Amino acid sequence: MVLEILTYPNKKLHVRSKEVVEFDDELAKFLDDMYETMISKNGIGLAAIQVANPIRAVVINLANEEGVQDKADLLELINPVITQKEDEIIYQEGCLSVPGYYEEVKRARKITLNYQDRNGEKHELSADELLAVCIQHELDHLDGHLFIERIGYNNRKKFDKEYRKNKKEKSK
Ligand code: QAP
Ligand code: CO
């Protein structure tokens, strides 16, 4: 089932998501719905809070070397915690909750994290480049943060101005 995505400036996007404690059929069904929702909207990453469920769960599905977004590469990160960050990368990010807006954000180039899968099994993962960027973007959602909070003062002023302008035009 494709779920509805909350968009900026919905205040629910700024809630801190809660740890997952039950790894049951309900969680499995919800993760399937998150994947379907992300794919239907042409996304590469989605956090549960973006579909109004404030739990610490994220799905990420990047394209492989052939440029194919293969479900076999789907990452489901439950209760993820970053334990190491190294180097810097500047990458142009977007977000399904801020449609049509893209801006450069500075993050760690390499990370290591611990997480659980849908069965509650614990894993450690090292990631770099786009995967590291995407994981950090999605983990920000779990703490109630959007990438527009990390684009610098001037870009943020420009964003707010454009956003207000678009809103006015839509209401005409
Ligand atoms: C986060 O974002 C991300 O504005 C995932 O009109 C993005 O999947 C991390 C999307 C880039 C790192 C780099 C955005 C789709 C998808 C839009 C997404 C849009 C349609 C965003
Ligand atoms: Co996002």
Side-chain angles (χ1 to χ4, degrees):
M1 185 172 74
V2 173
L3 307 170
E4 196 179 319
I5 295 184
L6 303 181
T7 55
Y8 177 86
N10 194 313
K11 287 192 182 68
K12 287 183 192 161
L13 288 167
H14 299 295
V15 166
R16 187 179 187 278
S17 295
K18 295 239 176 350
E19 307 281 318
V20 173
V21 289
E22 294 217 67
F23 295 83
D24 53 11
D25 288 352
E26 191 192 336
L27 177 67
K29 170 75 172 70
F30 176 66
L31 290 166
D32 290 344
D33 289 345
M34 279 181 71
Y35 171 77
E36 207 181 315
T37 304
M38 174 179 72
I39 295 298
S40 82
K41 302 285 191 281
N42 299 315
I44 56 170
L46 185 73
I49 183 109
Q50 293 180 271
V51 290
N53 188 354
I55 63 169
R56 302 187 82 80
V58 158
V59 293
I60 293 175
N61 196 13
L62 303 186
N64 61 23
E65 295 95 83
E66 283 119 56
V68 178
Q69 196 175 22
D70 187 344
K71 191 172 183 183
D73 299 319
L74 174 64
L75 261 179
E76 294 177 337
L77 308 177
I78 320 292
N79 301 329
V81 178
I82 294 177
T83 55
Q84 279 184 65
K85 292 188 179 188
E86 235 183 291
D87 301 341
E88 285 178 356
I89 184 171
I90 294 175
Y91 202 96
Q92 182 155 55
E93 300 186 12
C95 181
L96 288 169
S97 293
V98 192
Y101 183 77
Y102 306 87
E103 193 49 77
E104 289 182 342
V105 180
K106 184 160 78 178
R107 300 197 186 265
R109 183 180 292 273
K110 295 179 186 174
I111 60 171
T112 302
L113 64 149
N114 294 319
Y115 68 94
Q116 286 167 280
D117 62 24
R118 62 164 67 198
N119 303 310
E121 304 287 342
K122 293 182 175 171
H123 300 269
E124 187 178 57
L125 174 70
S126 290
D128 63 10
E129 307 296 326
L130 176 57
L131 180 56
V133 169
C134 200
I135 291 170
Q136 290 169 84
H137 175 114
E138 299 310 332
L139 267 59
D140 264 359
H141 278 296
L142 303 185
D143 293 323
H145 296 299
L146 298 175
F147 81 104
I148 52 169
E149 297 168 44
R150 302 198 186 278
I151 58 177
Y153 183 75
N154 283 305
N155 282 332
R156 181 57 193 266
K157 271 203 304 197
K158 235 191 297 170
F159 168 79
D160 287 339
K161 198 174 154 189
E162 269 176 42
Y163 178 80
R164 277 198 304 272
K165 195 175 130 215
N166 279 337
K167 206 163 78 169
K168 245 206 290 196
E169 258 145 40
K170 275 189 194 151
S171 70
K172 273 184 196 165

